[in-house]
Amino acid sequence: MQAIYLVKFGNSKNAFEFRDIKPDKPKDDEVGIIVEASGINFADVVARLGNYRDCPPLPAIVGYEAVGRVDKIGKNVKSVKVGDRVLAFTRFGGYSQYVLQKENAIAKISENMDVGKALALATQYSTAFYACSVATNVLPNETVLIHAGAGGVGTALTQLCKLKNAKIYTTASSQKKLDYCKQQGADVCINYTEKDFSKEIKEPIDVAFDSLGADNFRKSYKVLNRGGRIVAYGASMMTDAHNLFTKAKMGAAFGVYHPAVFIMESRSLIGVNMLRIADYKPETLKYCMKQVIQLLEENKINPHVGKMYAAQDIAQAHDDMEARKTMGKIGIIW
Ligand SMILES: NC(=O)c1ccc[n+]([C@@H]2O[C@H](COP(=O)([O-])OP(=O)(O)OC[C@H]3O[C@@H](n4cnc5c(N)ncnc54)[C@H](OP(=O)(O)O)[C@@H]3O)[C@@H](O)[C@H]2O)c1
């Protein structure tokens, strides 16, 4: 059995090494899984570039999710049994043919669930569900703004907010992506590399979901309605900051906020980090995973699988994501 180790920060061609692994026995609350496919998230790209604080020291196995079959269970595990097909939210460790994970981050899935769609549910749909249903509770007819709408979390937010009958504004960087956003259910799609979205939007936004950071965050806050909520859950733009000066400049571009102003304007800023939720509120993560699994089983959502790569093509998959070429979910098949 093998795992893909991140051994060097930087260029994807030199970053990864396939190494043999000898899995440990699961602890009492753990499940051992023989992995069929592993998901790739933008956070993995950030980790590979050396910009992810939570990434374990190198050599490390990154990756937030895996689909596979239960091989062994610890003595306290009740919700799954050997042979079950499962989805695992892995706190790193996902790029591996064998995953050991706590029971509280694992959910059973059906035999016929498409593997790429299943991978989309662990991190991207669970994050989106947490953001729009737990953290902000988007209401019918509210206006929402979803940045990077063609991405994995963006697709999930669009489909979930559509289910809530919200009016959806999305942004993306190309016409192809805008067309895709429309197909996913967005009402208004804006190319934010060509136009200033904050000027294009002519009505107040009730809930903004920002994964880009820097001045994109500040502009999103600017278009918020009274009673509006803004969810900060990423800073993809910061990957363009290659030195301390540009990092500081982009950091300052977020803007400065004071609680008194939040009260006066009745606006809320909500930070979301699913790793922290997984660590400190595992029952909430499991709740989100179960909800999105059920929504897929009821055909209420339909994750888009951009591409499943062969595991050997991990560098190519990373390059495509970094170059903004991917839409929806991507992953690797073992
Ligand atoms: N806080 C959490 O718990 C949590 C959980 C999951 C994901 N996230 C965050 O959510 C965001 C989306 O994650 P994802 O895995 O679904 O990725 P993704 O959206 O599929 O891919 C990232 C997208 O970000 C946009 N982007 C903007 N600036 C970019 C840049 N400088 N370089 C590359 N892409 C850029 C691109 O879309 P356009 O071409 O349309 O600009 C790109 O396709 C990321 O910021 C990620 O870190 C956070």
Side-chain angles (χ1 to χ4, degrees):
M1 275 188 179
Q2 291 203 307
I4 304 172
Y5 278 80
L6 177 62
V7 293
K8 198 172 173 205
F9 293 132
N11 189 307
S12 66
K13 303 286 176 292
N14 311 315
F16 298 112
E17 239 175 61
F18 283 75
R19 294 186 179 175
D20 292 333
I21 50 162
K22 246 182 108 190
D24 292 334
K25 268 174 65 181
K27 298 193 184 84
D28 292 353
D29 60 347
E30 282 182 343
V31 177
I33 301 161
I34 297 173
V35 175
E36 180 185 336
S38 310
I40 297 175
N41 291 279
F42 191 73
D44 308 346
V45 173
V46 179
R48 197 241 309 145
L49 294 173
N51 295 331
Y52 197 176
R53 258 190 235 172
D54 282 326
C55 182
L58 303 194
I61 307 174
V62 300
Y64 275 129
E65 68 242 343
V67 165
R69 207 164 283 285
V70 175
D71 173 53
K72 291 191 174 101
I73 54 172
K75 71 174 172 28
N76 297 336
V77 171
K78 299 273 182 295
S79 62
V80 293
K81 58 181 190 318
V82 172
D84 281 350
R85 190 168 185 242
V86 291
L87 172 64
F89 177 94
T90 55
R91 304 150 167 87
F92 301 97
Y95 289 9
S96 177
Q97 284 183 306
Y98 200 94
V99 154
L100 272 177
Q101 187 49 260
K102 284 190 178 169
E103 179 187 19
N104 60 26
I106 286 168
K108 203 174 157 186
I109 56 169
S110 59
E111 287 296 323
N112 60 1
M113 188 179 285
D114 175 84
V115 69
K117 290 183 197 288
L119 287 172
L121 301 179
T123 310
Q124 293 170 334
Y125 275 74
S126 293
T127 302
F129 185 88
Y130 180 80
C132 74
S133 290
V134 180
T136 60
N137 193 22
V138 171
L139 298 174
N141 301 316
E142 282 198 308
T143 49
V144 303
L145 170 61
I146 300 164
H147 293 298
V153 181
T155 302
L157 279 169
T158 304
Q159 292 182 3
L160 292 170
C161 289
K162 185 82 184 164
L163 275 182
K164 291 165 168 285
N165 286 321
K167 178 173 179 187
I168 302 170
Y169 287 83
T170 58
T171 64
S173 68
S174 69
Q175 189 56 46
K176 188 176 166 199
K177 287 188 174 183
L178 299 184
D179 293 344
Y180 166 89
C181 291
K182 267 253 147 86
Q183 282 164 16
Q184 301 306 314
D187 297 288
V188 182
C189 307
I190 304 164
N191 186 331
Y192 56 3
T193 59
E194 290 174 353
K195 289 180 180 158
D196 180 340
F197 71 85
S198 65
K199 293 193 177 127
E200 295 296 308
I201 296 173
K202 307 290 184 210
E203 62 181 327
I205 292 293
D206 294 309
V207 187
F209 300 96
D210 179 64
S211 60
L212 272 71
D215 69 331
N216 200 79
F217 177 87
R218 186 178 42 76
K219 286 179 185 172
S220 306
Y221 184 79
K222 217 173 85 183
V223 297
L224 267 197
N225 203 357
R226 300 301 183 262
R229 296 83 87 199
I230 183 164
V231 180
Y233 70 99
S236 305
M237 273 171 72
M238 299 294 279
T239 50
D240 293 335
H242 297 300
N243 57 47
L244 268 180
F245 176 72
T246 43
K247 269 186 192 157
K249 206 170 146 203
M250 280 181 150
F254 275 85
V256 178
Y257 304 86
H258 194 281
V261 180
F262 290 133
I263 298 168
M264 297 278 288
E265 297 180 344
S266 196
R267 289 168 163 170
S268 318
L269 162 59
I270 298 158
V272 169
N273 180 344
M274 289 312 274
L275 265 189
R276 296 287 100 77
I277 300 297
D279 291 338
Y280 291 88
K281 300 196 71 169
E283 70 292 344
T284 303
L285 171 73
K286 191 137 187 179
Y287 169 74
C288 294
M289 282 174 68
K290 283 194 159 172
Q291 291 298 307
V292 293
I293 289 170
Q294 194 180 333
L295 287 171
L296 176 55
E297 279 167 353
E298 291 169 356
N299 289 321
K300 291 187 174 153
I301 54 170
N302 185 18
H304 173 81
V305 183
K307 186 166 172 181
M308 292 300 293
Y309 298 74
Q312 284 70 21
D313 296 332
I314 185 70
Q316 185 61 53
H318 264 240
D319 287 352
D320 289 350
M321 185 163 245
E322 190 180 350
R324 306 162 90 140
K325 288 183 185 160
T326 62
M327 295 198 284
K329 183 73 209 166
I330 62 166
I332 49 171
I333 295 268
W334 288 98

